[in-house]
Amino acid sequence: MSIAIELAYLVASIMFVMGMKLMNKTKSARQGNQLSALGMLIAIVATLVQIEAISFVEIIGCMVVGSAIGLYYANKVEMTKMPEMVAIFNGFGGLASFSVALSDYFLRTDVNMESIELVTIISIIVSVFIGGLTFTGSLVAYLKLNGNISGSPITFKGQHPINLMLFIGFLTAAVFTVMDQTDPMLIVILIVIALVLGVLTVIPIGGADMPVVISLLNSYSGMAACATGFILNNNVLIVAGSLVGASGIILTQIMCKAMNRSLVNVLLGGFGQTVNEVQGDGPTITVKEIGVEETAMLFDGVSSVIVVPGYGMAVAQAQHVIRELMEQCEKRNIDFKFAIHPVAGRMPGHMNVLLAEANISYDKLIEMESINDEFPSTDLVLIVGANDVVNPAARNNPQSPIYGMPILNADKARTVIVCKRSMGKGYAGVENELFGYPNCLMLFGDAKQTITKVVSEMKEM
Ligand code: NAP
C-alpha cells in the first residue's frame, strides 16, 4: 500500500513539473494547468486513502464548503482585483501550514511525551515562522491593496532594529523549544513573534513596490508548505511547496529587476518609502490633444504601430476593441505589435492574460528587452491606459521616485498617442513628462469607448 502511495506521489510530482513546463507557453498553458490539477487530484486521493483519524464525511464536507467559497469568489472577482485575491490566497496558504504545524506539535506533545525528532521540531518551528508571517503579511498586503488601510508606507522610528530584535527573539525561543519541547510558553512566543513580524515587515512597503511583496509572500507560502511536508513526512507536499517557493522567488527576482530593486533590499523590508513623496509643484505640462478622426487618419497612413497596454486597458476592458484595431491595421498591411512591460497593470502577466482573452496571438506580444530598440524606427505608438511604465523620468530624473525603473522607450517613436481619461497619475503617483513631449498627442477618454470610435472611423475609410 505504501509503495502504491509513494508511486502516486511520484506521478503527481512529475505532473506538477511537466504542468509548469507547459505553462511556459500561452498555447499549452491551459493544458499545463489541467495536468497540474490532475496531479493534485492524484495527490489528494493518495493522501485521503491513508487517513484514519478523521472521517470521509468530515473531509468531503470541508472540501465542498471550501470549493464553493473559492468558486464563488473566483467567478465574482474583477480582473482589476486579482492582486487582492492572490494576496489573500497566499495568506490562507500560510495559515494552512501554520495550523498544520501547530496541531502536529500539540498532538505529539500531548499524546506522546517522547521527544520529537530534531528534523520534525525544526520543521515545525520553520513552518510556524514562515506560515504565520505569510498569513499576517498577506492580510496587511490585502488591506493595503483593497484600500482598507493606507497604501503609503507606514514607518516609525527604530522599525528595523525592532524587526531585528524580534527575529533574534524568535531564534532564541526556537533554540529553547528544540531543547525543551514541552514548554507551551515557548511555542506561544514563537507564534506571537511570527504573526507580529508579518505585520511589521509589510506595513512599511508602499506604492509601486507592492507587486514584489505579493510574489515574495507567494514564495513564502510555498516554503511554509514545504516545511510542513517534512513534518508530515509527505513527499508530494515537499515537492509542491518547493515548486511554489522556487517559482515565487524567481518571479520576485524578475519583478525586482523590472522595478530596479535588489532582492536583499526586498528581504530587509521597508522598501518603497520614496514612492509618492517627491511631488511638490513641478512645472505644469502643456499637452497637445488629438481627436478620434485625426487618430484614425494617422493610423491610416503609417506602416508600423506598437501598442503599449497598461492598467487603464484593464479598467476599461479595452482588449477586445484593441484586437479590432489590430485587424483594421493588418488589413492595411501595417506592422502591428504589443510592447509588454513586466509590471504593467496590477499583477504579473496582467496584460498577457487580457490580450490572450481577446484572442491576440502570443507572438504579437513582445517583452520590454526585445522591443525597446524598435521604438525609434516605429511610426506610431499607441499607449492605452499605461503611465508609469512609459514615464521617461525613470531614465532622466534622479529626483523622481521611479528613477532607475526600466521603462518602455515609447517616447522615442516618431509619433506617440496616449489614450487615457485625464491627466491623472499612475500607480506611483508621479507626473509623466512624456505627455508634454513634442511628438506626443493626448487622446482623452475611456480607452474602450475612444478606441471603439477610432475603429469605426477606420472601418468607414
Ligand atoms: P499606471 O501607471 O497605474 O497608469 C494607469 C493609467 O491608466 C492611469 O494614469 C489612468 O489615467 C489610466 N486609466 C485608468 N482608467 C482608464 C480608462 N478607463 N481608460 C483609459 N485610461 C485609464 O499603469 P501602468 O503604466 O500599467 O503601470 C503599472 C503600475 O502599477 C506600476 O507603477 C507598477 O509598479 C504598479 N503595480 C504593478 C503590479 C504588477 O504586478 N503588474 C502590481 C501592483 C502595482 P486616467 O485616470 O487619466 O485615465
Side-chain angles (χ1 to χ4, degrees):
M1 184 67 170
S2 87
I3 290 184
I5 284 168
E6 286 310 319
L7 258 178
Y9 282 165
L10 184 67
V11 170
S13 305
I14 293 171
M15 284 170 131
F16 292 157
V17 176
M18 282 170 60
M20 281 179 77
K21 177 110 182 59
L22 288 170
M23 281 183 225
N24 266 337
K25 296 214 165 63
T26 327
K27 264 193 190 156
S28 53
R30 204 177 282 255
Q31 224 183 325
N33 217 350
Q34 284 162 351
L35 191 68
S36 303
L38 186 64
M40 187 52 83
L41 182 70
I42 293 174
I44 291 173
V45 172
T47 307
L48 287 185
V49 294
Q50 310 170 66
I51 286 174
E52 287 158 8
I54 177 167
S55 79
F56 266 98
V57 178
E58 286 168 302
I59 295 170
I60 305 286
C62 290
M63 281 172 80
V64 168
V65 174
S67 308
I69 298 173
L71 259 177
Y72 174 73
Y73 281 104
N75 279 323
K76 197 175 145 235
V77 70
E78 287 169 29
M79 210 54 192
T80 48
K81 289 276 175 197
M82 281 306 268
E84 283 88 325
M85 180 116 175
V86 175
I88 206 83
F89 273 169
N90 291 342
F92 285 139
L95 181 65
S97 305
F98 175 81
S99 315
V100 170
L102 283 179
S103 68
D104 193 86
Y105 169 81
F106 287 118
L107 208 66
R108 285 175 197 256
T109 46
D110 265 10
V111 177
N112 170 9
M113 292 305 285
E114 286 165 31
S115 69
I116 306 171
E117 266 179 56
L118 188 64
V119 178
T120 311
I121 189 72
I122 291 176
S123 303
I124 289 174
I125 293 167
V126 172
S127 187
V128 165
F129 181 66
I130 310 180
L133 185 143
T134 307
F135 173 54
T136 50
S138 301
L139 277 189
V140 174
Y142 170 81
L143 295 173
K144 274 182 171 245
L145 288 170
N146 207 35
N148 302 93
I149 56 174
S150 163
S152 320
I154 302 170
T155 51
F156 54 87
K157 222 175 161 196
Q159 202 159 24
H160 290 310
I162 289 174
N163 287 354
L164 186 66
M165 273 162 51
L166 282 171
F167 184 62
I168 293 171
F170 187 92
L171 285 183
T172 315
V175 171
F176 282 110
T177 308
V178 172
M179 291 189 314
D180 179 7
Q181 300 169 352
T182 50
D183 185 350
M185 225 17 240
L186 286 169
I187 205 82
V188 171
I189 294 173
L190 294 179
I191 293 171
V192 172
I193 297 183
L195 296 177
V196 171
L197 264 177
V199 175
L200 289 184
T201 47
V202 177
I203 53 165
I205 301 163
D209 291 332
M210 225 46 202
V212 182
V213 96
I214 301 280
S215 71
L216 192 63
L217 286 166
N218 181 252
S219 162
Y220 286 172
S221 71
M223 290 184 218
C226 179
T228 309
F230 280 101
I231 301 169
L232 301 178
N233 219 352
N234 184 316
N235 289 340
V236 80
L237 196 53
I238 298 173
V239 173
S242 328
L243 287 175
V244 175
S247 45
I249 279 288
I250 294 169
L251 183 60
T252 307
Q253 267 174 323
I254 294 171
M255 305 284 281
C256 284
K257 215 174 130 213
M259 302 179 81
N260 199 33
R261 300 266 168 201
S262 77
L263 188 56
V264 177
N265 189 236
V266 173
L267 290 172
L268 284 177
F271 51 98
Q273 297 181 29
T274 49
V275 175
N276 293 331
E277 274 173 10
V278 190
Q279 288 311 302
D281 291 328
T284 324
I285 297 173
T286 315
V287 300
K288 292 191 287 293
E289 273 192 59
I290 186 169
V292 167
E293 278 175 40
E294 292 158 282
T295 305
M297 276 160 66
L298 257 181
F299 268 102
D300 203 38
V302 294
S303 59
S304 55
V305 169
I306 297 180
V307 169
V308 177
Y311 176 63
M313 181 187 82
V315 177
Q317 288 292 295
Q319 61 275 24
H320 298 281
V321 70
I322 292 177
R323 194 206 53 239
E324 287 185 42
L325 178 73
M326 180 182 86
E327 286 162 2
Q328 283 301 317
C329 288
E330 287 182 342
K331 263 190 198 165
R332 291 164 168 81
N333 288 325
I334 300 170
D335 181 39
F336 196 98
K337 288 176 188 145
F338 292 85
I340 308 296
H341 191 284
V343 293
R346 291 291 182 271
M347 64 172 187
H350 202 169
M351 299 300 112
N352 306 54
V353 172
L354 291 176
L355 295 170
E357 181 197 315
N359 282 330
I360 291 168
S361 152
Y362 200 63
D363 8 297
K364 298 252 170 234
L365 278 49
I366 319 287
E367 301 295 330
M368 179 170 64
E369 291 81 20
S370 312
I371 203 155
N372 255 348
D373 291 340
E374 289 192 32
F375 283 107
S377 56
T378 301
D379 292 336
L380 180 62
V381 166
L382 175 69
I383 298 176
V384 187
N387 196 340
D388 296 343
V389 300
V390 288
N391 191 341
R395 264 193 335 247
N396 333 324
N397 181 2
Q399 306 306 317
S400 173
I402 59 165
Y403 183 67
M405 171 175 143
I407 55 152
L408 288 165
N409 295 333
D411 54 307
K412 306 220 160 139
R414 288 181 194 126
T415 306
V416 183
I417 297 182
V418 181
C419 177
K420 68 202 289 289
R421 296 163 309 174
S422 64
M423 287 298 284
K425 292 168 185 159
Y427 191 80
V430 291
E431 293 284 1
N432 194 337
E433 60 189 58
L434 164 69
F435 304 157
Y437 279 19
N439 60 341
C440 183
L441 301 159
M442 303 298 292
L443 177 63
F444 286 119
D446 171 80
K448 186 176 174 182
Q449 290 171 8
T450 316
I451 296 171
T452 305
K453 287 182 198 155
V454 174
V455 171
S456 324
E457 288 289 336
M458 287 175 80
K459 280 182 184 165
E460 282 169 20
M461 278 175 179

